[in-house]
């Protein structure tokens, strides 16, 4: 029995996964990752890292992050406490959906995860206090490969549901996109 139902999004390669919840009188079990199943849905390698973030206040935005090649990464993003608006932006050079984004609510309740291919920037806004996020990464963290877009860049036109707050110093410093920006090799 599959534990992940894949839902396509308007952006090719970016998939919304519904993690099937197995319940009984004690509660439930859902899988956060399954190499057998996820290979078929786009995760084509080992997990290099699994990270957790905790965010105290609603309205906080983390992002919009990506790693440059050769450390570009697939990310599987899951919310295990609270809820967020999760956003992935297509940065793939030549993509027909270049610079378009897809936004979806991830929450501890809705058992959704976003499977984000290489060539995308990722970020989220917390919709509740005390959010916990789990990320599986297909590439190791390399500070020298870190890059980011500004979450409030008018060129991205992301409609954050709450007033944006608590941007990190680094996230506040991401430059706005120039009209010449071509994206990243996917
Ligand atoms: C990603 C990462 C970061 N770090 C260090 C670097 C900084 O000193 C510190 C916080 O990193 P950052 O400010 O990039 O963390 P977030 O802003 O919460 O980024 C996270 O949220 C956004 C939405 C994402 O998409 C990132 O993948 C995810 O890491 O942890 C590590 O040591 N290892 C790692 O794998």
């Amino acid at each position: 029995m599959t534990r992940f139902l894949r839902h396509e999004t308007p952006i090719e390669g970016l998939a919304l996964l519904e993690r099937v919840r197995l319940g009984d009188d004690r509660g439930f079990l859902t899988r956060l990752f399954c190499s057998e199943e996820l290979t078929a849905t786009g995760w084509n390698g080992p997990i290099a890292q699994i990270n957790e973030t905790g965010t105290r206040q609603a309205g906080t935005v983390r992002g919009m992050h990506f790693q440059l090649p050769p450390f570009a990464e697939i990310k599987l993003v899951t919310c295990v406490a609270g809820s967020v608006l999760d956003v992935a932006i297509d940065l793939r050079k030549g993509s027909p959906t270049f610079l378009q984004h897809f936004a979806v609510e991830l929450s501890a309740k809705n058992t959704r995860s976003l499977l984000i291919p290489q060539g995308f920037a990722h970020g989220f806004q917390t919709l509740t206090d005390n959010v916990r996020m789990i990320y599986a990464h297909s590439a190791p963290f390399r500070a020298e490969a870190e890059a980011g877009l500004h979450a409030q860049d008018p060129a991205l036109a992301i409609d954050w549901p709450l007033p944006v707050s608590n941007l990190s110093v680094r996230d506040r410093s991401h430059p706005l996109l120039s009209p010449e920006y071509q994206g990243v090799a996917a």
Side-chain angles (χ1 to χ4, degrees):
M1 172 191 174
T2 183
R3 297 289 188 272
F4 294 87
L5 302 175
R6 179 191 171 105
H7 302 282
E8 296 306 328
T9 70
I11 300 179
E12 186 274 330
L14 179 67
L16 182 61
L17 302 183
E18 187 181 337
R19 291 177 288 112
V20 174
R21 181 176 291 214
L22 302 179
D24 62 25
D25 297 344
R26 301 165 301 167
F28 70 90
L29 176 145
T30 64
R31 278 192 194 153
L32 293 176
F33 189 90
C34 174
S35 57
E36 281 179 336
E37 285 206 51
L38 293 182
T39 300
T41 69
W43 188 290
N44 48 18
I47 295 180
Q49 276 189 183
I50 297 179
N51 293 337
E52 174 191 25
T53 62
T55 307
R56 293 188 192 87
Q57 284 182 330
T60 301
V61 169
R62 291 177 182 256
M64 311 304 287
H65 300 162
F66 60 104
Q67 290 199 155
L68 295 166
F71 297 104
E73 54 191 340
I74 305 169
K75 270 182 204 172
L76 182 62
V77 180
T78 300
C79 177
V80 293
S83 71
V84 301
L85 184 78
D86 207 60
V87 179
I89 308 166
D90 186 357
L91 302 181
R92 296 170 298 188
K93 195 174 289 184
S95 168
T97 51
F98 179 59
L99 288 188
Q100 291 183 30
H101 69 271
F102 174 74
V104 64
E105 183 175 344
L106 302 181
S107 72
K109 287 198 182 113
N110 70 18
T111 66
R112 290 169 172 168
S113 295
L114 197 57
L115 182 57
I116 306 170
Q118 294 174 342
F120 282 71
H122 170 254
F124 63 84
Q125 181 174 46
T126 53
L127 304 178
T128 62
D129 292 341
N130 302 319
V131 162
R132 306 284 282 273
M133 300 293 288
I134 301 291
Y135 318 76
H137 298 256
S138 68
F141 173 71
R142 291 284 185 276
E144 68 274 15
E146 282 264 89
L149 305 180
H150 199 291
Q152 295 173 294
D153 190 330
L156 300 175
I158 300 171
D159 183 16
W160 299 110
L162 301 174
V164 171
S165 63
N166 298 325
L167 283 174
S168 67
V169 170
R170 175 170 154 258
D171 286 347
R172 282 201 300 271
S173 67
H174 295 312
L176 298 184
L177 285 169
S178 75
E180 296 74 39
Y181 181 66
Q182 298 283 313
V184 296

